Amino acid sequence: MSSPNPIDKLSVLIADDSETVRRLLASLLAALGAGRVFIANNGSEALTTFFRYCPDIIITDAAMAPIDGYELVDTVRSHPESPDPNVPVIMLSALSGDAHEARAAQMGVSILLSKPLVPEALYKAISEALASAERRAWLEEAALKIADPSPLSADKQPLPAGRSRMLH
Amino acid sequence: MPHSQHSPGQPPAGMQVSSGAQGVEIVQPSSIVTRKLGPGAVLPMRLDPRVLKRMERAIEKMADSYEKSLKTEIRQMLLSHDEWQAGKQEAIHAIYALAHDIRGLAGTFSRPVTGRISNALCQYLEALPHLDAADGAVVRLHVDAMFAAAMDAQEPSEEVAKATLAGLERLVGRTLEHCRPACDPARG
């Protein structure tokens, strides 16, 4: 039987340049009982934390400096030393429109969550982001097998970044 | 930076490989959901009503502090507007930054009307390649409307909110039509 609060095992990285949003998300995740919460003030800090602690899920703002949310996701997905290229990513933003959505999809964002933030939507986004990451990982595993049918050979190379993005 | 790639020739942690009939290989990739949430976890997750209550209480705890911060931000927008009208061009960026913050947060803290007016202001500023004198009045009316909506303990009714937003939308339309021929996209 599953835990009544499955999120208690999750470690979550928050990246947002607004102190109020960081406090809000940290409070909501604490109320959810998240196992561990890492907080970053911008994309640059978020990348350092991601490579050091490899959190289970990332919740990031879109517009930040010096590294914005899109670049953060792109690096997480495509850096050769990324500890988890398939980590679920929720992009939280007050921006709307096709250009924003297309860019987020292109970079590999799992779920777009529009502000203002409401508790049910955050919980649903976490659930959907995990499902999205699961699908993405399975597709990549399958694509790797098709590209190289020999059983788990030593020379397996990661898919080109463009390919994996097309699949998710 | 730590590596998580699996060792050459070895399956990644959690991946099961077995040989089926007629040389067919069955690969069971590791489950991200199991790894992150523990065995037995299923998606979609169900939100326990008690957890939802805890989350709502967390927002309520922050509400007073946000109210103060919202009022400070709107007053700052009024000051920045005065500076902008006095010739300090960068003040409009401060107005946009404050409006962007408010559109993202006000709705969470029971200020949806303020958030919607703020969103209308952001969209207006985002649509313009540059600003001129006529925009001063449009920006000011948006900020005044936000001030009116946010300063009372309760926001205006939905009817009043809709009428206010519709009025601001008409003002934006007229300003763009009569004062901003340069905004014609064909003319850059």
Side-chain angles (χ1 to χ4, degrees):
Chain A
M1 186 169 170
S2 60
S3 159
N5 179 23
I7 277 179
D8 61 4
K9 307 245 181 339
L10 277 186
S11 57
V12 186
L13 168 60
I14 296 168
D16 203 302
D17 57 359
S18 158
E19 191 196 340
T20 309
V21 174
R22 291 194 302 270
R23 277 178 48 220
L24 174 64
L25 280 169
S27 299
L28 290 175
L29 290 166
L32 271 174
R36 192 166 182 191
V37 178
F38 303 99
I39 295 176
N41 298 329
N42 54 52
S44 180
E45 283 185 25
L47 278 176
T48 304
T49 307
F50 173 72
F51 278 97
R52 185 171 298 161
Y53 297 105
C54 190
D56 290 320
I57 193 163
I58 298 173
I59 303 176
T60 181
D61 188 17
M64 295 181 288
I67 292 176
D68 65 18
Y70 308 103
E71 193 180 343
L72 165 65
V73 181
D74 190 37
T75 306
V76 161
R77 297 277 184 247
S78 60
H79 194 287
E81 294 187 41
S82 174
D84 184 1
N86 289 312
V87 65
V89 179
I90 297 169
M91 184 170 273
L92 183 63
S93 178
L95 299 171
S96 57
D98 292 344
H100 164 57
E101 287 178 20
R103 193 171 174 209
Q106 187 189 10
M107 293 298 155
V109 169
S110 313
I111 298 291
L112 271 177
L113 180 57
S114 57
K115 292 177 183 173
L117 191 58
V118 290
E120 296 96 326
L122 175 64
Y123 193 82
K124 191 175 170 207
I126 291 171
S127 179
E128 286 177 355
L130 286 163
S132 168
E134 182 91 352
R135 283 194 299 274
R136 184 189 175 89
W138 275 67
L139 286 167
E140 283 207 1
E141 299 273 10
L144 273 172
K145 290 301 293 178
I146 292 164
D148 179 5
S150 62
L152 299 168
S153 65
D155 59 348
K156 274 198 177 66
Q157 295 298 317
L159 278 179
R163 177 74 180 275
S164 62
R165 286 192 203 102
M166 283 169 63
L167 288 172
H168 86 92
Chain B
M1 292 177 198
H3 271 279
S4 73
Q5 305 292 333
H6 60 270
S7 307
Q10 295 296 316
M15 179 184 272
Q16 297 166 11
V17 183
S18 60
S19 295
Q22 296 173 341
V24 175
E25 186 190 14
I26 301 162
V27 178
Q28 180 69 42
S30 58
S31 164
I32 286 181
V33 174
T34 302
R35 182 156 44 87
K36 292 181 186 291
L37 300 181
V42 287
L43 294 177
M45 299 183 298
R46 192 181 62 82
L47 180 56
D48 187 323
R50 290 167 298 181
V51 175
L52 177 61
K53 272 271 173 250
R54 284 208 304 267
M55 294 173 87
E56 287 168 348
R57 275 201 298 273
I59 291 175
E60 283 165 18
K61 273 188 190 170
M62 289 182 67
D64 282 350
S65 140
Y66 182 73
E67 275 290 308
K68 284 179 195 148
S69 151
L70 174 66
K71 286 170 182 166
T72 304
E73 284 185 316
I74 295 174
R75 288 195 182 98
Q76 184 56 54
M77 288 173 86
L78 290 167
L79 290 173
S80 294
H81 183 270
D82 291 345
E83 289 174 352
W84 178 46
Q85 293 295 280
K88 190 177 170 188
Q89 291 305 307
E90 62 270 29
I92 192 64
H93 300 300
I95 293 175
Y96 177 80
L98 290 162
H100 181 71
D101 268 358
I102 293 170
R103 77 168 158 178
L105 277 164
T108 302
F109 294 101
S110 307
R111 291 285 180 189
V113 178
T114 310
R116 281 156 63 189
I117 298 168
S118 194
N119 185 45
L121 174 57
C122 286
Q123 288 180 344
Y124 178 65
L125 295 174
E126 285 160 5
L128 298 175
H130 60 273
L131 296 162
D132 64 24
D135 300 310
V138 178
V139 172
R140 180 64 188 224
L141 279 166
H142 279 81
V143 181
D144 283 346
M146 289 168 64
F147 186 88
M151 289 301 149
D152 283 340
Q154 254 196 326
E155 284 205 315
S157 67
E158 181 60 23
E159 277 179 12
V160 173
K162 274 187 180 165
T164 304
L165 283 160
L168 290 169
E169 203 172 299
R170 278 196 301 276
L171 174 72
V172 166
R174 276 206 299 273
T175 307
L176 293 179
E177 189 181 340
H178 297 296
C179 308
R180 304 299 301 268
C183 281
D184 178 355
R187 299 168 58 178

